[in-house]
Amino acid sequence: MTDIERAAATTLTPRPSWDYAPAPESTDIVRLQDSYGLFVGGEFVEPKSGKRFTTINPATEEPLAEIAEAGPEDVALAVEAARSAHDQVWRDLSGAERAKYLYRIARQLQERAREFAVLETMNGGKPIKESRDVDLPLAAAHFFYYAGWADKLEYAFPGRSPGPIGVAGQIIPWNFPMLMAAWKLAPALATGNTAVLKPAETTPLTALLLAEVIQEAELPPGTINIITGAGETGAALVESGVDKVAFTGSTDVGKRIRRATAGTAKRLTLELGGKAANIVFDDAPLDQAVEGVINGIFFNQGHVCCAGSRLLVQEPVFEELMDKLKARLQTLRVGDPLDKNTDVGAINSRQQLRKIEELVASGIDEGAEIYQPECVLPERGFWFRPTLFTGVSQSHRIAREEIFGPVLSIITFRTPDEAVEKANNTPYGLSAGVWTEKGSRILWMAERMRAGVVWANTFNRFDPASPFGGYKESGFGREGGMHGLEPYLQLSP
Ligand code: NAD
Ligand code: MN
């Protein structure tokens, strides 16, 4: 592009002069209760702790329901229920029989997908088009996929007599509440384990709706127990009599859990944070790359552990890519998550908003240059504008720390070696993206990236058959695929 063309492109790509009419998804399909109990032994029960907390809609700050807070006694009862379900029923069922229940859950998720998607969006703030087209279909696909493995474990691990571990304690975050529940529960159940699942404190509602589905599927009582609460409840679950802990969340809490389980017989998998490099070479198809960069960082408001939060651009295409990115940013629709045209929804919580604001302020203080499109944000609720930072150096906090919000830090490079060095210069290692026309370069890069997943000319692609997990401080253990069975099995050597 010449300078004149570039100037024209930037001035000619303002917001479109027309706008979308509101297209809100109706919430009628969701029937909320005023108050929810804990799901233990196949029943909703009152918490022995006597404590409750309010869950809200982060887009409006309106309360949605009262949620039980499980105390240590409640956690112990849930683990006991899971233990007797395991010892008395679940571990002795044939794989085909276990699969039957998983298929039932999968079909119910499809059947009730709209209800789940609307509720997910109300409680978590993510755009309805994402909960509808990504979270729910993938959650159902995960149950279908692992249902398929339940009676084929002997083939997956020939000669190694695969057997269950026992009771799994599973702690999940708020960014993909249903999907993370599926990632945890489906492989655990397929392999003959029972589970106690703790959803995140800001997003308990779809897990509690899943409890209804579990009842309808007539799962043996206690096979899945769902206990709500915050960090203390999670810590109590880690300390309880479970045989395995599976955690997805922050690296800080992951470290704490690792210390708490050290020296015990408990098996552990951790899926923690990330600071992924999305790397654009000068031969990349730039228009496609722009879409991948946008999806990489603004999907789910950037509340994504594998988000492409560091953009590495090869110098010759830096200016052209920046122009295209800024123009594309202008067209993102930020606002009501229930509107079918919304691209960027609400930040999940006030606490997370504060964290994003703090890190963005540090970027400005440390001398990076900020770019935000003009957009009108709703008055109530938690919002943050899509944000680009240029002039970012590798020592800046915004280049090193996980922001977990719609904020992209942009860094340039000259040679492939420099791209590798910069991409790997992070304590994390969950994912990476490579944009180039050359297949050989994709393979060359993929070999050198210290990341669990490397996407080529795409980003944020998920499939239940494909394993996912980290290097370094992004954690250990794999979820998804055949690899995702292993953390839930005892195998003879
Ligand atoms: P968090 O790690 O505190 O919460 C995740 C889950 O762990 C929740 O269910 C929480 O209740 C539980 N938990 C909290 N403290 C615990 C403890 N001591 N023992 C056991 N369980 C505990 O995450 P957060 O505070 O909600 O988010 C903070 C940051 O974590 C984010 O900004 C982001 O960087 C990162 N994060 C990463 C992911 C991911 O998918 N990898 C998800 C959520 C948050
Ligand atoms: Mn926390």
Side-chain angles (χ1 to χ4, degrees), residues 143-466:
F143 277 103
F144 277 119
Y145 176 80
Y146 279 107
W149 272 121
D151 62 350
K152 302 174 193 71
L153 299 175
E154 306 285 340
Y155 301 95
F157 304 98
R160 298 187 64 196
S161 34
I165 297 171
V167 177
Q170 307 180 313
I171 300 170
I172 56 172
W174 39 262
N175 51 344
F176 295 92
M178 259 313 288
L179 186 57
M180 289 303 105
W183 279 29
K184 295 279 180 282
L185 294 171
L189 265 62
T191 46
N193 300 276
T194 57
V196 178
L197 176 82
K198 194 200 82 66
E201 53 271 37
T202 57
T203 53
L205 288 174
T206 46
L208 293 165
L209 186 58
L210 177 65
E212 260 181 49
V213 164
I214 289 163
Q215 282 180 323
E216 281 166 18
E218 296 180 342
L219 233 74
T223 307
I224 296 176
N225 306 274
I226 297 175
I227 55 169
T228 42
E232 278 178 39
T233 306
L237 183 57
V238 170
E239 299 285 346
S240 74
V242 295
D243 304 299
K244 185 215 157 56
V245 175
F247 172 76
T248 299
S250 63
T251 295
D252 276 352
V253 173
K255 287 178 179 173
R256 239 178 286 169
I257 291 177
R258 188 146 197 204
R259 280 194 286 271
T261 52
T264 73
K266 285 171 195 162
R267 299 255 301 258
L268 177 64
T269 42
L270 298 174
E271 201 268 272
L272 309 174
K275 191 75 185 175
N278 206 354
I279 307 165
V280 180
F281 284 95
D282 61 5
D283 64 341
L286 284 193
D287 289 317
Q288 269 168 261
V290 165
E291 291 310 307
V293 170
I294 294 281
N295 171 287
I297 187 62
F298 301 120
F299 175 60
N300 199 23
Q301 296 74 246
H303 301 328
V304 182
C305 46
C306 54
S309 52
R310 287 182 300 149
L311 173 62
L312 269 51
V313 189
Q314 201 162 18
E315 279 185 8
V317 290
F318 173 72
E319 296 207 352
E320 188 180 350
L321 189 70
M322 284 310 300
D323 291 344
K324 284 178 187 287
L325 265 182
K326 287 178 180 173
R328 182 66 177 85
L329 226 62
Q330 299 278 350
T331 66
L332 288 178
R333 289 175 298 266
V334 184
D336 181 7
L338 281 166
D339 192 305
K340 290 167 209 153
N341 292 321
T342 290
D343 297 306
V344 181
I347 299 303
N348 183 265
S349 66
R350 187 183 298 282
Q351 191 195 2
Q352 188 60 29
L353 179 59
R354 291 277 139 79
K355 185 183 163 191
I356 297 167
E357 288 169 344
E358 200 242 322
L359 276 158
V360 166
S362 84
I364 296 167
D365 285 348
E366 292 187 314
E369 194 183 319
I370 188 170
Y371 174 84
Q372 293 177 322
E374 292 159 36
C375 54
V376 184
L377 300 179
E379 266 168 34
R380 302 210 57 198
F382 314 129
W383 307 94
F384 201 83
R385 284 190 172 75
T387 301
L388 307 179
F389 270 111
T390 50
V392 178
S393 84
Q394 294 194 81
S395 60
H396 288 165
R397 284 183 67 196
I398 55 168
R400 311 199 61 80
E401 294 178 35
E402 185 178 43
I403 301 174
F404 227 59
V407 182
L408 181 64
S409 301
I410 305 173
I411 295 170
T412 58
F413 68 92
R414 291 182 186 178
T415 63
D417 282 319
E418 192 186 340
V420 170
E421 197 191 305
K422 286 185 167 168
N424 287 336
N425 182 9
T426 165
Y428 294 111
L430 200 51
S431 66
V434 180
W435 297 82
T436 172
E437 199 178 62
K438 297 185 186 65
S440 57
R441 179 173 282 163
I442 290 169
L443 297 174
W444 190 90
M445 290 294 292
E447 262 176 12
R448 285 159 181 80
M449 292 292 101
R450 303 275 296 155
V453 179
V454 181
W455 285 294
N457 295 327
T458 186
F459 209 88
N460 278 339
R461 288 255 158 213
F462 293 95
D463 188 285
S466 156

